[in-house]
């Protein structure tokens, strides 16, 4: 509770978290995403899924946000974080434990953070990671449409970004293009963690499920896909499936989500 | 990483001897070797960028080979003024050439550079095992993975990235060749080169300047803007041409990364003496063009009997001349004229035969010209009908084929010779205004009057010396020749 004061970026969420309900006001840094039916990239072709309404951060978590977090939570500082939960290069682009430095501008998205670290950050805010369905549902939107994925130009724009190498220093999170809801940077900024990032890998009891091969390698990648021409979505699913929970990657950040109902432990 | 030590080699050699003897009766030069022949020592594979090839393997035993490939996403030149973001195995397209020996065990490490945006992996067609290593090497940016495989089957194999969507990873240049050299080795040659064809799909048309993005629609339609060897237009032309010498035996390790097109690989001016078609063990001899499937290869061998430029093309020929699939192998040295003479002659083709021909004369007597002006006017008509096609209406001729009549030293220095040429034709070398011509001019079959008229016209035009030629002069030259 003491940390919440220091933890400015989360204040609104944290304070209101306990009383959040379907009618509760939406914190200023978040938007309400009305749920709906959507057809995921992988899974049963004729089985669309229902996504319940949820709140989603307007932008990815920045270095400044994360700095506040590690100030209040020393065990997540670069030098102290357990190697069980973060890889060696955790916050590797920062100048020091409490110094983001020139490689990590305050308003740029924080990257090189693991899934565990992202989860800890969001828990401290009373938020959680969006699920893959929630993230993908919101990511279909552009500036005017809730679902622009039928527009080849929309997909081509995303694909162009995926095809470019990372810039040495990331731009500010709030400069990214926003969709009609005001959610910025879903495309064209950084990859983002989702709660169930390894969804595609663990489809059965065994981690080395046979569907892994069918899903994501070579031409087999098209077998289970609902839209084999949606290369942009392929890219994201392939990217996520290359990860493990303690991985830290130079262009992988995250943003928070929240249920409309009071948050549960993420 | 530990280098092979001599002591280790000696020990393992001594230990291997009984096993070799036990196989019995194998010729000393190519001892038969079981697939489970024990490994001796270990080494780090030499990796090269195209067109270089690692040195032949001289070992007579399998070993443990370490191969490390680093995946990077880099902006590089596709053509002059055109850049593209290539995804590479080792920094360029094609990826590094890997050379191992049959029965070697390969410890393979794939490193994905932290600056990469994408996860990547590698499917080596030389690998026996699910995914060819793809599953075992699925690697997030900033990570590295490793696996081992035994190189069971000799041959020349493509490797490529197989991360979904695989087409885009290949279309961005993620392919290369791995040679599993047969245990008896490949016959020695003087020069080996590494060439891989690939098709590219850019947002802009061929040659459109600037950094070009990947165009998925064109890739789906299989309509590439670029079809190139070794990752760019001009990768093997000009100062980058492959260099060899006359008399060299040459081996080309050729792959086709695709993603879509099948290559009709051909070297203009050479015949492949031997082709290990599809990169396998069988050899076809005396091949003009060999088909290389996407995700396949061929080994082409030939001897450079004579010197000159030999052009590597995809003989699906618009690709060569309009999309970049062209390279040059330059053989230095002296021409072997018995093999190839070069151009000996460029002659006017006369369907009637090679000698000076007579154009049938129309025997109608022409009205005699009364004045020089009438002679010039009549001569102009004769010129237009008989001479202008070759010497051109303005008398300038055609360089290297038909001599000029304008300001012509040859014409002006000897009027009788000019009359003789018009009457009898001309064959053989002449020098006109400093240029040498070697053609045939036919006999024109003009009568004396027409000959006099046309020559008077010619002398009066184009800064020539303006003399009048009379029919009497023509008659005299005609009589002198007979």
């Amino acid at each position: 509770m003491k940390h919440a004061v220091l933890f400015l970026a989360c204040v609104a969420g944290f304070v209101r978290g306990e009383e959040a309900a379907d009618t509760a006001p939406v914190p200023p840094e978040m938007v309400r995403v009305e749920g709906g039916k959507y057809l995921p990239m992988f899974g049963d072709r004729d089985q669309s899924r229902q996504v319940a309404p949820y709140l989603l951060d307007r932008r990815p978590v920045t270095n400044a946000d994360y700095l506040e977090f590690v100030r209040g939570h020393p065990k997540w500082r670069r030098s102290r974080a357990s190697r069980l939960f973060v890889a060696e290069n955790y916050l590797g682009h920062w100048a020091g434990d409490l110094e983001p430095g020139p490689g990590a501008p305050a308003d740029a998205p924080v990257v090189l953070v693991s899934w565990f670290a992202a989860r800890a950050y969001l828990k401290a805010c009373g938020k959680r990671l969006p699920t893959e369905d929630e993230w993908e549902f919101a990511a279909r939107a552009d500036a005017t449409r809730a679902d622009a994925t039928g527009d080849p130009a929309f997909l081509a724009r995303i694909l162009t970004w995926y095809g470019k190498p990372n810039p040495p220093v990331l731009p500010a999170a709030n400069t990214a293009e926003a969709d009609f809801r005001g959610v910025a940077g879903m495309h064209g900024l950084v990859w983002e963690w989702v709660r169930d990032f390894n969804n595609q890998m663990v489809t059965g009891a065994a981690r080395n499920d046979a569907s892994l091969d069918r899903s994501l390698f070579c031409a087999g990648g098209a077998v289970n896909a609902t839209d084999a021409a949606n290369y942009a979505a392929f890219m994201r699913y392939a990217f996520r499936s290359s990860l493990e929970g303690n991985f830290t990657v130079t262009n992988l950040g995250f943003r928070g989500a929240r249920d409309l109902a009071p948050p549960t432990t993420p | 990483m530990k280098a092979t030590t001599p002591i280790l080699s000696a020990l393992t050699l001594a230990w291997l001897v009984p096993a070799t003897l036990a196989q019995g009766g194998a010729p000393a030069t190519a001892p038969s070797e079981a697939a489970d022949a024990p490994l001796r020592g270990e080494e780090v594979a030499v990796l090269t960028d195209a067109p270089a090839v690692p040195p032949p393997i001289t070992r007579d035993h399998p070993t443990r080979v370490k191969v490390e490939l680093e995946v990077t996403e880099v902006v590089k030149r596709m053509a002059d003024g055109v850049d593209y973001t290539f995804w590479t195995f080792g920094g360029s397209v094609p990826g590094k050439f890997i050379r191992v020996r049959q029965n070697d065990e390969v410890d393979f490490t794939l490193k994905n550079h932290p600056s990469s945006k994408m996860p990547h992996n590698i499917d080596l067609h030389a690998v026996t095992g699910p995914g060819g290593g793809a599953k075992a090497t699925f690697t997030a940016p900033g990570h590295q993975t490793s696996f081992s495989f035994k190189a069971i089957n000799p041959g020349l194999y493509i490797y490529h990235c197989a991360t979904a969507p695989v087409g885009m990873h290949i279309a961005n240049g993620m392919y290369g060749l791995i040679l599993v050299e047969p245990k008896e080795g490949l016959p020695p040659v003087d020069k080996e080169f590494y060439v891989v064809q690939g098709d590219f799909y850019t947002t802009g048309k061929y040659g459109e300047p600037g950094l070009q993005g990947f165009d998925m629609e064109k890739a789906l339609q299989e309509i590439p803007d670029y079809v190139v060897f070794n990752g760019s237009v001009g990768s093997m032309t000009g100062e980058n041409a492959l260099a060899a010498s006359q008399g060299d035996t040459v081996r080309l390790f050729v792959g086709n990364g695709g993603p879509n097109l099948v290559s009709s690989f051909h070297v203009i001016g050479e015949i492949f003496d031997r082709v290990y078609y599809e990169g396998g063990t069988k050899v076809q001899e005396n091949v003009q063009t060999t088909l290389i499937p996407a995700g396949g290869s061929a080994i082409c061998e030939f001897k450079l009997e004579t010197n000159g430029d030999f052009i590597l093309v995809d003989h699906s020929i618009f690709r060569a001349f309009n999309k970049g699939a062209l390279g040059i192998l330059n053989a230095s040295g002296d021409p072997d004229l018995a093999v190839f003479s070069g151009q000996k002659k460029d002659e006017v083709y006369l369907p009637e035969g090679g000698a000076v021909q007579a154009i049938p004369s129309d025997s109608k007597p022409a009205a005699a010209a009364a004045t020089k002006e009438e002679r010039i006017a009549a001569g102009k008509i004769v010129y237009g009908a008989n001479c202008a096609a070759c010497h051109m209406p303005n008398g300038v001729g055609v360089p290297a084929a038909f001599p000029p009549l304008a300001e012509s030293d040859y014409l002006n220095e000897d009027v009788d010779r000019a009359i003789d040429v018009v009457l009898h034709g001309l064959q053989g070398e002449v020098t006109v205004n400093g240029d040498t011509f070697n053609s045939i001019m036919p006999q024109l079959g003009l009568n004396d009057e027409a000959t006099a008229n046309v020559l008077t016209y010619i002398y009066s035009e184009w800064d020539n010396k303006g003399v009048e030629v009379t029919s009497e002069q023509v008659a005299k030259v005609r009589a002198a020749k007979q």
Side-chain angles (χ1 to χ4, degrees):
Chain A
M1 207 54 84
K2 193 177 86 187
H3 296 140
V5 181
L6 294 170
F7 199 6
L8 298 174
C10 293
V11 165
F14 195 87
V15 172
R16 294 201 178 97
E18 285 155 25
E19 63 201 50
D22 205 3
T23 53
V26 176
E29 82 281 8
M30 299 187 95
V31 298
R32 179 182 165 125
V33 180
E34 292 304 334
K37 276 191 193 296
Y38 109 109
L39 188 63
M41 182 69 180
F42 289 94
D44 285 333
R45 218 166 276 254
D46 37 42
Q47 216 171 0
S48 57
R49 273 184 232 166
Q50 184 70 34
V51 176
Y54 62 102
L55 302 184
L56 187 66
D57 277 351
R58 289 177 180 271
R59 57 166 174 77
V61 173
T62 64
N63 288 305
D65 298 336
Y66 204 78
L67 178 61
E68 290 304 313
F69 169 67
V70 293
R71 279 204 173 116
H73 298 78
K75 72 167 185 172
W76 285 104
R77 290 178 191 171
R78 191 172 74 178
S79 62
R80 299 195 206 172
S82 164
R83 288 291 172 265
L84 285 175
F85 300 122
V86 297
E88 279 167 36
N89 59 341
Y90 169 61
L91 294 177
H93 61 317
W94 280 27
D97 264 2
L98 297 173
E99 272 177 87
D107 52 2
V110 65
V111 292
L112 287 167
V113 286
S114 69
W115 178 80
F116 294 107
R119 211 172 61 140
Y121 172 98
L122 292 170
K123 186 179 177 184
C125 301
K127 294 181 187 173
R128 59 171 172 80
L129 284 167
T131 64
E132 184 169 65
D133 280 346
E134 286 170 344
W135 198 97
E136 289 288 332
F137 183 84
R140 301 181 309 164
D142 71 359
T144 55
R145 295 167 288 191
D147 184 0
T149 55
D151 177 1
F154 173 74
L155 296 178
R157 227 170 32 243
I158 298 171
L159 208 56
T160 301
W161 176 69
Y162 291 165
K164 281 184 197 157
N166 299 320
V169 176
L170 289 166
N174 56 15
T175 58
E177 206 177 320
D179 70 9
F180 78 105
R181 297 184 183 99
V183 176
M186 296 292 275
H187 305 292
L189 196 57
V190 286
W191 301 108
E192 294 183 13
W193 283 108
V194 295
R195 188 163 71 177
D196 47 351
F197 67 91
N198 51 6
N199 209 16
Q200 291 309 312
M201 297 182 77
V202 190
T203 52
R207 191 167 173 77
N208 198 2
D209 192 281
S211 70
L212 171 67
D213 299 346
R214 290 208 315 275
S215 297
L216 291 168
F217 296 122
C218 212
V223 174
N224 279 1
T226 50
D227 179 3
N230 189 345
Y231 274 29
F234 264 125
M235 294 283 188
R236 291 194 295 276
Y237 283 87
F239 179 82
R240 288 179 197 130
S241 67
S242 76
L243 301 172
E244 291 177 29
N246 67 339
F247 278 22
T248 56
V249 177
T250 43
N251 59 355
L252 175 58
F254 67 100
R255 75 176 71 215
R258 232 177 63 189
D259 296 340
L260 294 182
T264 51
T265 305
Chain B
M1 283 298 178
K2 194 173 64 178
T4 308
T5 65
I7 294 169
L8 181 66
S9 298
L11 284 175
T12 46
L13 182 63
W15 172 69
L16 185 70
V17 168
T20 310
L21 289 177
Q23 286 162 5
T29 47
S32 69
E33 175 183 303
D36 60 353
L39 303 182
R40 288 159 49 198
E42 59 180 52
E43 62 185 45
V44 177
V46 176
L47 304 178
T48 58
D49 288 320
V53 176
I57 292 171
T58 52
R59 276 184 282 118
D60 61 358
H61 60 272
T63 192
R64 179 169 299 282
V65 184
K66 288 192 182 300
V67 176
E68 292 191 357
L69 269 189
E70 183 190 45
V71 175
T72 53
E73 301 169 359
V74 292
V75 175
K76 294 190 95 166
R77 177 189 168 280
M78 167 85 82
D80 288 336
V82 184
D83 287 331
Y84 189 78
T85 304
F86 294 96
W87 298 352
T88 71
F89 287 108
S92 39
V93 178
K96 303 276 186 190
F97 194 105
I98 306 168
R99 188 168 197 157
V100 300
R101 181 184 181 275
Q102 186 179 3
N103 294 333
D104 279 353
E105 278 186 32
V106 181
D107 286 347
F108 195 97
T109 300
L110 189 72
K111 301 173 168 182
N112 191 0
H113 196 273
S115 69
S116 294
K117 188 161 278 172
M118 290 293 154
H120 296 289
N121 62 10
I122 191 167
D123 170 356
L124 299 121
H125 290 181
V127 169
T128 304
K135 187 166 126 185
T137 58
F138 193 36
T139 312
H143 282 255
Q144 61 180 51
T145 55
S146 54
F147 78 111
S148 307
F149 69 94
K150 189 171 187 74
I152 299 171
N153 301 81
L156 181 63
Y157 299 93
I158 280 278
Y159 64 79
H160 64 89
C161 182
T163 302
V166 61
M168 183 170 172
H169 286 256
I170 293 177
N172 283 344
M174 298 198 76
Y175 42 77
L177 286 176
I178 175 169
L179 173 68
V180 180
E181 207 165 322
K183 51 185 187 277
E184 63 276 10
L186 289 169
V189 292
D190 298 310
K191 291 275 163 49
E192 291 183 329
F193 297 107
Y194 172 25
V195 178
V196 180
Q197 180 173 327
D199 29 306
F200 289 88
Y201 304 82
T202 52
T203 44
K205 285 182 182 156
Y206 178 89
E208 199 167 302
L211 178 61
Q212 294 294 324
F214 166 70
D215 189 315
M216 194 188 77
E217 196 53 38
K218 288 178 183 172
L220 289 179
Q221 301 293 326
E222 306 187 11
I223 305 171
D225 300 278
Y226 294 87
V227 182
V228 298
F229 295 127
N230 290 352
S232 67
V233 177
S235 66
M236 293 183 289
T237 60
E239 60 187 20
N240 301 322
L242 305 181
S245 304
Q246 182 200 354
D248 279 353
T249 46
V250 173
R251 176 179 292 134
L252 301 179
F253 294 106
V254 190
N256 183 7
N260 289 321
L261 301 187
V262 169
S263 174
S264 306
F265 186 71
H266 176 81
V267 176
I268 298 174
E270 264 299 343
I271 294 136
F272 302 137
D273 299 326
R274 295 150 60 84
V275 173
Y276 296 79
Y277 52 92
E278 296 165 7
T281 308
K282 288 268 194 322
V283 169
Q284 171 68 295
E285 296 180 334
N286 304 320
V287 175
Q288 55 190 309
T289 300
T290 191
L291 207 59
I292 308 181
S297 70
I299 304 173
C300 305
E301 296 176 350
F302 50 93
K303 183 177 163 77
L304 291 167
E305 283 92 352
T306 188
N307 70 332
D309 283 346
F310 299 91
I311 321 287
L312 285 61
V313 295
D314 180 341
H315 214 296
S316 301
I317 208 72
F318 278 93
R319 299 173 190 170
F321 289 90
N322 300 87
K323 297 186 174 184
L326 192 143
I328 291 175
L329 168 63
N330 176 264
S332 60
D334 298 321
D336 182 339
L337 296 179
V339 174
F340 186 71
S341 71
Q343 187 180 72
K344 286 179 164 168
K345 262 184 189 174
D346 179 343
E347 299 178 340
V348 175
Y349 164 60
L350 298 165
E352 298 87 351
V356 173
Q357 300 292 312
I359 290 179
S361 157
D362 76 49
S363 50
K364 240 188 333 185
T371 64
K372 187 179 175 188
E373 282 64 41
E374 280 182 28
R375 207 176 272 293
I376 290 170
K380 186 175 182 180
I381 294 164
V382 176
Y383 184 84
N386 295 280
C387 317
C390 296
H391 294 286
M392 299 289 109
N394 58 359
V396 297
V398 172
F402 306 116
L405 300 177
E407 288 184 89
S408 166
D409 56 1
Y410 186 89
L411 177 75
N412 287 315
E413 72 192 17
D414 188 340
V415 175
D416 281 353
R417 181 173 66 188
I419 295 169
D420 181 60
V421 168
V422 175
L423 288 179
H424 301 115
L426 182 66
Q427 179 172 16
E429 194 172 293
V430 291
T431 301
V432 182
N433 294 348
D435 295 323
T436 303
F437 297 85
N438 197 342
S439 292
I440 300 175
M441 173 169 159
Q443 287 186 36
L444 292 169
L446 300 176
N447 62 26
D448 292 353
E449 183 69 12
T451 303
N453 291 349
V454 76
L455 281 166
T456 302
Y457 166 75
I458 290 166
Y459 277 117
S460 71
E461 288 287 319
W462 315 312
D463 293 327
N464 288 325
K465 66 181 183 181
V467 296
E468 180 176 2
V469 179
T470 63
S471 51
E472 289 73 26
Q473 276 174 283
V474 175
K476 220 162 81 185
V477 173
R478 195 192 291 277
K481 197 88 178 191
Q482 285 162 352

PDB file of all heavy atoms in Angstrom, chain B residues 425-443:
ATOM      1  N   GLY B 425      32.039  -4.190-108.752  1.00  0.00           N
ATOM      2  CA  GLY B 425      31.872  -4.590-107.348  1.00  0.00           C
ATOM      3  C   GLY B 425      33.215  -4.583-106.627  1.00  0.00           C
ATOM      4  O   GLY B 425      34.256  -4.299-107.215  1.00  0.00           O
ATOM      5  N   LEU B 426      33.146  -4.904-105.329  1.00  0.00           N
ATOM      6  CA  LEU B 426      34.377  -4.871-104.536  1.00  0.00           C
ATOM      7  C   LEU B 426      34.274  -5.896-103.408  1.00  0.00           C
ATOM      8  O   LEU B 426      33.247  -6.026-102.739  1.00  0.00           O
ATOM      9  CB  LEU B 426      34.545  -3.458-103.930  1.00  0.00           C
ATOM     10  CG  LEU B 426      35.808  -3.211-103.111  1.00  0.00           C
ATOM     11  CD1 LEU B 426      37.053  -3.293-103.996  1.00  0.00           C
ATOM     12  CD2 LEU B 426      35.735  -1.848-102.432  1.00  0.00           C
ATOM     13  N   GLN B 427      35.362  -6.624-103.257  1.00  0.00           N
ATOM     14  CA  GLN B 427      35.387  -7.556-102.132  1.00  0.00           C
ATOM     15  C   GLN B 427      36.750  -7.460-101.475  1.00  0.00           C
ATOM     16  O   GLN B 427      37.757  -7.338-102.157  1.00  0.00           O
ATOM     17  CB  GLN B 427      35.142  -8.995-102.616  1.00  0.00           C
ATOM     18  CG  GLN B 427      35.175 -10.007-101.479  1.00  0.00           C
ATOM     19  CD  GLN B 427      34.741 -11.397-101.923  1.00  0.00           C
ATOM     20  OE1 GLN B 427      34.696 -11.674-103.118  1.00  0.00           O
ATOM     21  NE2 GLN B 427      34.427 -12.246-100.961  1.00  0.00           N
ATOM     22  N   GLY B 428      36.778  -7.514-100.159  1.00  0.00           N
ATOM     23  CA  GLY B 428      38.052  -7.496 -99.446  1.00  0.00           C
ATOM     24  C   GLY B 428      38.194  -6.229 -98.631  1.00  0.00           C
ATOM     25  O   GLY B 428      37.318  -5.381 -98.583  1.00  0.00           O
ATOM     26  N   GLU B 429      39.346  -6.181 -97.958  1.00  0.00           N
ATOM     27  CA  GLU B 429      39.538  -5.109 -96.984  1.00  0.00           C
ATOM     28  C   GLU B 429      39.868  -3.800 -97.669  1.00  0.00           C
ATOM     29  O   GLU B 429      40.721  -3.741 -98.559  1.00  0.00           O
ATOM     30  CB  GLU B 429      40.669  -5.515 -96.051  1.00  0.00           C
ATOM     31  CG  GLU B 429      40.742  -4.654 -94.816  1.00  0.00           C
ATOM     32  CD  GLU B 429      41.758  -5.221 -93.830  1.00  0.00           C
ATOM     33  OE1 GLU B 429      41.500  -6.308 -93.291  1.00  0.00           O
ATOM     34  OE2 GLU B 429      42.792  -4.579 -93.623  1.00  0.00           O
ATOM     35  N   VAL B 430      39.200  -2.739 -97.284  1.00  0.00           N
ATOM     36  CA  VAL B 430      39.554  -1.394 -97.742  1.00  0.00           C
ATOM     37  C   VAL B 430      39.592  -0.479 -96.520  1.00  0.00           C
ATOM     38  O   VAL B 430      38.929  -0.737 -95.519  1.00  0.00           O
ATOM     39  CB  VAL B 430      38.528  -0.822 -98.754  1.00  0.00           C
ATOM     40  CG1 VAL B 430      38.587  -1.572-100.070  1.00  0.00           C
ATOM     41  CG2 VAL B 430      37.126  -0.817 -98.180  1.00  0.00           C
ATOM     42  N   THR B 431      40.398   0.579 -96.631  1.00  0.00           N
ATOM     43  CA  THR B 431      40.448   1.561 -95.542  1.00  0.00           C
ATOM     44  C   THR B 431      39.877   2.870 -96.059  1.00  0.00           C
ATOM     45  O   THR B 431      40.338   3.410 -97.059  1.00  0.00           O
ATOM     46  CB  THR B 431      41.890   1.762 -95.056  1.00  0.00           C
ATOM     47  OG1 THR B 431      42.390   0.509 -94.623  1.00  0.00           O
ATOM     48  CG2 THR B 431      41.933   2.764 -93.915  1.00  0.00           C
ATOM     49  N   VAL B 432      38.842   3.336 -95.415  1.00  0.00           N
ATOM     50  CA  VAL B 432      38.172   4.563 -95.820  1.00  0.00           C
ATOM     51  C   VAL B 432      38.136   5.516 -94.630  1.00  0.00           C
ATOM     52  O   VAL B 432      37.615   5.151 -93.565  1.00  0.00           O
ATOM     53  CB  VAL B 432      36.743   4.273 -96.319  1.00  0.00           C
ATOM     54  CG1 VAL B 432      36.076   5.570 -96.784  1.00  0.00           C
ATOM     55  CG2 VAL B 432      36.770   3.254 -97.444  1.00  0.00           C
ATOM     56  N   ASN B 433      38.686   6.684 -94.844  1.00  0.00           N
ATOM     57  CA  ASN B 433      38.745   7.686 -93.775  1.00  0.00           C
ATOM     58  C   ASN B 433      39.301   7.091 -92.472  1.00  0.00           C
ATOM     59  O   ASN B 433      38.823   7.371 -91.384  1.00  0.00           O
ATOM     60  CB  ASN B 433      37.367   8.298 -93.506  1.00  0.00           C
ATOM     61  CG  ASN B 433      36.877   9.120 -94.695  1.00  0.00           C
ATOM     62  OD1 ASN B 433      37.662   9.415 -95.618  1.00  0.00           O
ATOM     63  ND2 ASN B 433      35.612   9.484 -94.698  1.00  0.00           N
ATOM     64  N   GLY B 434      40.272   6.194 -92.609  1.00  0.00           N
ATOM     65  CA  GLY B 434      40.926   5.631 -91.430  1.00  0.00           C
ATOM     66  C   GLY B 434      40.258   4.402 -90.857  1.00  0.00           C
ATOM     67  O   GLY B 434      40.811   3.765 -89.960  1.00  0.00           O
ATOM     68  N   ASP B 435      39.075   4.059 -91.337  1.00  0.00           N
ATOM     69  CA  ASP B 435      38.398   2.868 -90.816  1.00  0.00           C
ATOM     70  C   ASP B 435      38.492   1.727 -91.820  1.00  0.00           C
ATOM     71  O   ASP B 435      38.431   1.941 -93.028  1.00  0.00           O
ATOM     72  CB  ASP B 435      36.918   3.164 -90.534  1.00  0.00           C
ATOM     73  CG  ASP B 435      36.760   4.177 -89.426  1.00  0.00           C
ATOM     74  OD1 ASP B 435      37.566   4.134 -88.470  1.00  0.00           O
ATOM     75  OD2 ASP B 435      35.852   5.022 -89.523  1.00  0.00           O
ATOM     76  N   THR B 436      38.636   0.541 -91.278  1.00  0.00           N
ATOM     77  CA  THR B 436      38.763  -0.629 -92.135  1.00  0.00           C
ATOM     78  C   THR B 436      37.403  -1.286 -92.340  1.00  0.00           C
ATOM     79  O   THR B 436      36.636  -1.442 -91.384  1.00  0.00           O
ATOM     80  CB  THR B 436      39.718  -1.638 -91.486  1.00  0.00           C
ATOM     81  OG1 THR B 436      40.953  -0.981 -91.254  1.00  0.00           O
ATOM     82  CG2 THR B 436      39.946  -2.832 -92.383  1.00  0.00           C
ATOM     83  N   PHE B 437      37.140  -1.610 -93.583  1.00  0.00           N
ATOM     84  CA  PHE B 437      35.885  -2.311 -93.913  1.00  0.00           C
ATOM     85  C   PHE B 437      36.225  -3.591 -94.630  1.00  0.00           C
ATOM     86  O   PHE B 437      37.191  -3.662 -95.373  1.00  0.00           O
ATOM     87  CB  PHE B 437      34.992  -1.429 -94.798  1.00  0.00           C
ATOM     88  CG  PHE B 437      34.552  -0.168 -94.104  1.00  0.00           C
ATOM     89  CD1 PHE B 437      35.362   0.973 -94.102  1.00  0.00           C
ATOM     90  CD2 PHE B 437      33.351  -0.114 -93.423  1.00  0.00           C
ATOM     91  CE1 PHE B 437      34.971   2.120 -93.456  1.00  0.00           C
ATOM     92  CE2 PHE B 437      32.949   1.044 -92.770  1.00  0.00           C
ATOM     93  CZ  PHE B 437      33.761   2.167 -92.789  1.00  0.00           C
ATOM     94  N   ASN B 438      35.409  -4.599 -94.383  1.00  0.00           N
ATOM     95  CA  ASN B 438      35.658  -5.877 -95.054  1.00  0.00           C
ATOM     96  C   ASN B 438      34.314  -6.484 -95.424  1.00  0.00           C
ATOM     97  O   ASN B 438      33.772  -7.308 -94.710  1.00  0.00           O
ATOM     98  CB  ASN B 438      36.453  -6.795 -94.121  1.00  0.00           C
ATOM     99  CG  ASN B 438      37.074  -7.935 -94.897  1.00  0.00           C
ATOM    100  OD1 ASN B 438      36.662  -8.231 -96.018  1.00  0.00           O
ATOM    101  ND2 ASN B 438      38.070  -8.570 -94.308  1.00  0.00           N
ATOM    102  N   SER B 439      33.791  -6.031 -96.528  1.00  0.00           N
ATOM    103  CA  SER B 439      32.460  -6.448 -96.945  1.00  0.00           C
ATOM    104  C   SER B 439      32.488  -6.802 -98.426  1.00  0.00           C
ATOM    105  O   SER B 439      33.540  -6.820 -99.056  1.00  0.00           O
ATOM    106  CB  SER B 439      31.445  -5.321 -96.724  1.00  0.00           C
ATOM    107  OG  SER B 439      31.259  -5.104 -95.359  1.00  0.00           O
ATOM    108  N   ILE B 440      31.339  -7.066 -98.935  1.00  0.00           N
ATOM    109  CA  ILE B 440      31.213  -7.306-100.376  1.00  0.00           C
ATOM    110  C   ILE B 440      30.242  -6.304-100.960  1.00  0.00           C
ATOM    111  O   ILE B 440      29.139  -6.146-100.461  1.00  0.00           O
ATOM    112  CB  ILE B 440      30.661  -8.717-100.676  1.00  0.00           C
ATOM    113  CG1 ILE B 440      31.603  -9.778-100.100  1.00  0.00           C
ATOM    114  CG2 ILE B 440      30.481  -8.914-102.177  1.00  0.00           C
ATOM    115  CD1 ILE B 440      31.073 -11.179-100.258  1.00  0.00           C
ATOM    116  N   MET B 441      30.678  -5.632-102.022  1.00  0.00           N
ATOM    117  CA  MET B 441      29.746  -4.809-102.801  1.00  0.00           C
ATOM    118  C   MET B 441      29.516  -5.529-104.118  1.00  0.00           C
ATOM    119  O   MET B 441      30.468  -5.930-104.782  1.00  0.00           O
ATOM    120  CB  MET B 441      30.355  -3.430-103.049  1.00  0.00           C
ATOM    121  CG  MET B 441      29.521  -2.580-104.001  1.00  0.00           C
ATOM    122  SD  MET B 441      30.069  -0.860-104.018  1.00  0.00           S
ATOM    123  CE  MET B 441      29.382  -0.332-105.603  1.00  0.00           C
ATOM    124  N   PRO B 442      28.264  -5.723-104.447  1.00  0.00           N
ATOM    125  CA  PRO B 442      28.003  -6.454-105.700  1.00  0.00           C
ATOM    126  C   PRO B 442      28.253  -5.583-106.936  1.00  0.00           C
ATOM    127  O   PRO B 442      28.261  -4.363-106.849  1.00  0.00           O
ATOM    128  CB  PRO B 442      26.523  -6.817-105.574  1.00  0.00           C
ATOM    129  CG  PRO B 442      25.939  -5.764-104.703  1.00  0.00           C
ATOM    130  CD  PRO B 442      27.030  -5.311-103.766  1.00  0.00           C
ATOM    131  N   GLN B 443      28.433  -6.266-108.074  1.00  0.00           N
ATOM    132  CA  GLN B 443      28.375  -5.555-109.358  1.00  0.00           C
ATOM    133  C   GLN B 443      26.953  -5.057-109.518  1.00  0.00           C
ATOM    134  O   GLN B 443      26.015  -5.800-109.305  1.00  0.00           O
ATOM    135  CB  GLN B 443      28.614  -6.529-110.521  1.00  0.00           C
ATOM    136  CG  GLN B 443      30.015  -7.012-110.675  1.00  0.00           C
ATOM    137  CD  GLN B 443      30.142  -7.848-111.947  1.00  0.00           C
ATOM    138  OE1 GLN B 443      29.507  -7.563-112.972  1.00  0.00           O
ATOM    139  NE2 GLN B 443      30.958  -8.885-111.879  1.00  0.00           N
TER     140      GLN B 443
END
